[in-house]
Amino acid sequence: MASVITLLAAPGFAQQQTPPAVPLVQPVPLVAPVQVIPPPVLSAAQTTQLAQLLADAGFAHGLRHDGSAQPRLQGNDAVVRAALDYARAVHSGRLDISDFQQDWGLRPAAYDPLPAFADAVKRDRIAAWFRALPPPYAGYDGLQKGLANYRKIEAAGGWATLPAGPDMAVGASGPRVAALRKRLAVEDGDVVAMGDKFDAALKEAVIRAQRRYGLNPTGLVSKGTLGALNVPAADRVRQIMANMERWRWLPQELPAKRIQVNIAAAVLTVFEGDAPIASMKAVTGRPGNETPMLQSRIHSIVLNPPWNVPAGIAAKELFPKGAAYLARNNYKIIGTGAGRRIQQQPGPKSALGLYKFDFDNPYAVYLHDTPAQARFASFDRLDSHGCVRLEKPGPLAQLLLRNDPAWQPEQIQEALATGKTQRVQLQPQDQVHVYLLYWTAFASANGQMNFRGDPYGWDKTLAAKIERRSAITAVAAR
């Protein structure tokens, strides 16, 4: 954590100047006419070229799961409509704004492809315009390659379901081990597909698979590993499609200095210069208390924070435990009657620990410390009410405050030792962007696909919405 996050300083204000004298008659301001760009007229060669580019582009970028041939586009207007629809979908997302769930707080920027498309037609640079449409990220490119690979696997019949049974480990043998070999070989070219012996080489292959799926890499094939291996290939294709769509919701250029939380994997990563410099385990929302996807900016750190318990948690989980439990755990009841609420006071028992990282958002979530450290040892860390608990909040606070001479590590520790709540505003240049993202499929540097579980069911929901919206727009574009 030795690296320092330094953000670009906010632009300064122009020097104030003496206002000019106000004329007796105010001139009527001129309103610039709105420039209306008509759809371009393609040449015959451009029509053919664009129709060929569009033939399988939507399929290649995961805008539909069905690989059957699309109806042939006829005429200038149909090709232009299809091109503009494809451009919007692959550049800023297939979904309509009405398709977004409330807790999908990421929203793509508005995008009108017509001006750039008309210019590309005029200059006869359609192919270059077409290539520049997808998100400019290596993460997206890796998913597109993975999509092509898993489509081939699906087209070849996918893989057989491994039967339930006793755990498999080194020394096991028989038909279930033979089936395991065949299954692993589909995704891992280093696995010998033939044979029914569980040897040391097969154990290493199991460990590689467990790492790809975010499981505990023990080399033992038990229920969790079987479950990950038995997800159908078609579902993996849809999972990749869903993650490609989420990349399209991000800005075309991410801040080089940022914090990202992968909700599904429960991991926080700090980026500087667009490269990861630190990471830590996190605890994110359990199903039913989902951590929302969003983007914001961390503006302050609260030392020794109290916990203002949300009304729903207070009613369901705390009030029923009685006054003695509340007093024992440093909870304070504020108010009376229907308006009463619970606040947990700062201290070693506080659910927020010693640090709380605040950023504006409509979901009332934040990053925070926790006294409950045992959960970080688990590979399943979806256990919060929606906020994000951090394994190492102290080093993160020191990193964010590194450039503030008033809040060096010694001053932070002195403030914590008082036990009093204190909010520390980050200097404008140190307010770092934060992204809460739901990545369940991503490619390693070597191109190997990695998958995580879909704990909230968002992948299946999103893939279905992509398919449905693609069908609607395909009809409209004709």
Side-chain angles (χ1 to χ4, degrees):
M1 304 286 293
S3 297
V4 180
I5 293 182
T6 54
L7 299 181
L8 293 175
F13 293 101
Q15 291 183 346
Q16 186 174 5
Q17 301 190 10
T18 304
V22 179
L24 295 177
V25 179
Q26 294 288 347
V28 177
L30 296 176
V31 178
V34 177
Q35 185 179 10
V36 178
I37 301 175
V41 176
L42 307 173
S43 68
Q46 289 175 328
T47 301
T48 300
Q49 177 192 25
L50 197 48
Q52 290 174 344
L53 289 171
L54 290 167
D56 65 351
F59 183 68
H61 283 274
L63 298 178
R64 65 179 193 274
H65 184 259
D66 182 9
S68 60
Q70 295 297 292
R72 185 174 179 181
L73 297 170
Q74 297 288 345
N76 180 87
D77 291 350
V79 173
V80 168
R81 284 196 301 270
L84 294 175
D85 173 70
Y86 168 79
R88 281 186 290 266
V90 79
H91 184 83
S92 57
R94 172 78 286 177
L95 299 195
D96 182 79
I97 194 66
S98 62
D99 294 322
F100 282 79
Q101 296 183 182
Q102 183 178 2
D103 43 13
W104 296 357
L106 293 175
R107 296 290 188 277
Y111 172 66
D112 180 4
L114 181 55
F117 176 56
D119 182 66
V121 171
K122 180 180 178 180
R123 296 189 296 133
D124 202 21
R125 293 182 55 82
I126 291 176
W129 170 79
F130 203 85
R131 287 193 300 270
L133 289 172
Y137 298 115
Y140 183 89
D141 296 340
L143 285 176
Q144 187 183 5
K145 294 175 183 175
L147 179 66
N149 185 35
Y150 277 78
R151 286 197 192 280
K152 291 178 183 177
I153 294 173
E154 181 188 9
W159 44 70
T161 300
L162 298 175
D167 292 351
M168 289 184 280
V170 172
S173 62
R176 291 182 69 234
V177 175
L180 174 64
R181 280 189 173 277
K182 290 181 180 179
R183 168 63 187 89
L184 291 172
V186 177
E187 293 181 289
D188 187 342
D190 292 332
V191 176
V192 177
M194 304 302 293
D196 65 354
K197 306 295 184 184
F198 199 126
D199 55 18
L202 186 59
K203 178 180 178 180
E204 289 304 311
V206 169
I207 290 173
R208 290 195 298 272
Q210 289 168 332
R211 286 180 173 146
R212 290 197 304 271
Y213 295 129
L215 304 172
N216 191 4
T218 61
L220 175 71
V221 179
S222 55
K223 183 178 179 181
T225 302
L226 280 178
L229 291 171
N230 282 338
V231 173
D235 285 2
R236 293 303 188 196
V237 168
R238 292 186 178 93
Q239 197 169 4
I240 296 172
M241 289 172 56
N243 282 267
M244 291 177 74
E245 175 73 0
R246 294 187 192 109
W247 273 106
R248 299 178 195 122
W249 300 348
L250 293 175
Q252 288 294 294
E253 184 176 357
L254 286 170
K257 301 168 182 68
R258 63 188 184 275
I259 290 173
Q260 288 181 195
V261 175
N262 184 343
I263 300 166
V267 172
L268 177 145
T269 306
V270 181
F271 287 80
E272 180 181 307
D274 210 30
I277 63 166
S279 67
M280 67 183 72
K281 296 175 182 177
V283 173
T284 50
R286 65 179 70 95
N289 296 114
E290 291 84 357
T291 297
M293 289 185 281
L294 60 83
Q295 58 179 319
S296 187
R297 187 191 292 258
I298 296 176
H299 55 70
S300 58
I301 302 172
V302 182
L303 305 178
N304 296 314
W307 181 33
N308 294 302
V309 183
I313 298 175
K316 294 177 183 178
E317 301 181 22
L318 294 180
F319 277 125
K321 294 183 177 180
Y325 171 87
L326 296 177
R328 208 165 46 243
N329 288 278
N330 211 17
Y331 288 103
K332 179 180 178 182
I333 299 176
I334 300 174
T336 58
R340 66 177 181 163
R341 61 186 180 88
I342 296 178
Q343 183 186 77
Q344 189 177 34
Q345 301 304 294
K349 293 182 179 180
S350 170
L352 302 189
L354 301 178
Y355 302 89
K356 175 172 173 265
F357 301 81
D358 272 343
F359 46 89
D360 296 335
N361 68 90
Y363 306 98
V365 297
Y366 40 83
L367 314 179
H368 67 89
D369 185 15
T370 175
Q373 294 292 306
R375 196 70 185 184
F376 293 117
S378 173
F379 277 80
D380 176 12
R381 297 192 300 276
L382 279 76
D383 194 43
S384 79
H385 289 96
C387 289
V388 179
R389 305 174 197 162
L390 303 181
E391 179 188 26
K392 301 174 183 177
L396 180 61
Q398 291 180 23
L399 188 60
L400 298 185
L401 293 169
R402 189 78 172 242
N403 297 324
D404 190 337
W407 287 103
Q408 295 301 293
E410 183 178 351
Q411 285 77 26
I412 295 173
Q413 292 305 313
E414 289 175 354
L416 291 173
T418 67
K420 296 180 180 179
T421 300
Q422 187 166 352
R423 180 178 294 276
V424 181
Q425 293 287 342
L426 295 178
Q427 298 185 39
Q429 65 269 24
D430 291 331
Q431 293 184 8
V432 64
H433 291 269
V434 60
Y435 292 83
L436 307 188
L437 306 169
Y438 190 76
W439 295 137
T440 60
F442 49 91
S444 299
N446 63 359
Q448 178 68 60
M449 282 301 304
N450 295 263
F451 296 98
R452 297 295 180 265
D454 180 20
Y456 301 164
W458 286 355
D459 286 343
K460 291 182 179 179
T461 300
L462 179 52
K465 287 176 180 286
I466 293 169
E467 289 273 70
R468 187 162 54 248
R469 187 57 61 181
S470 289
I472 293 172
T473 55
V475 171
R478 291 174 196 161

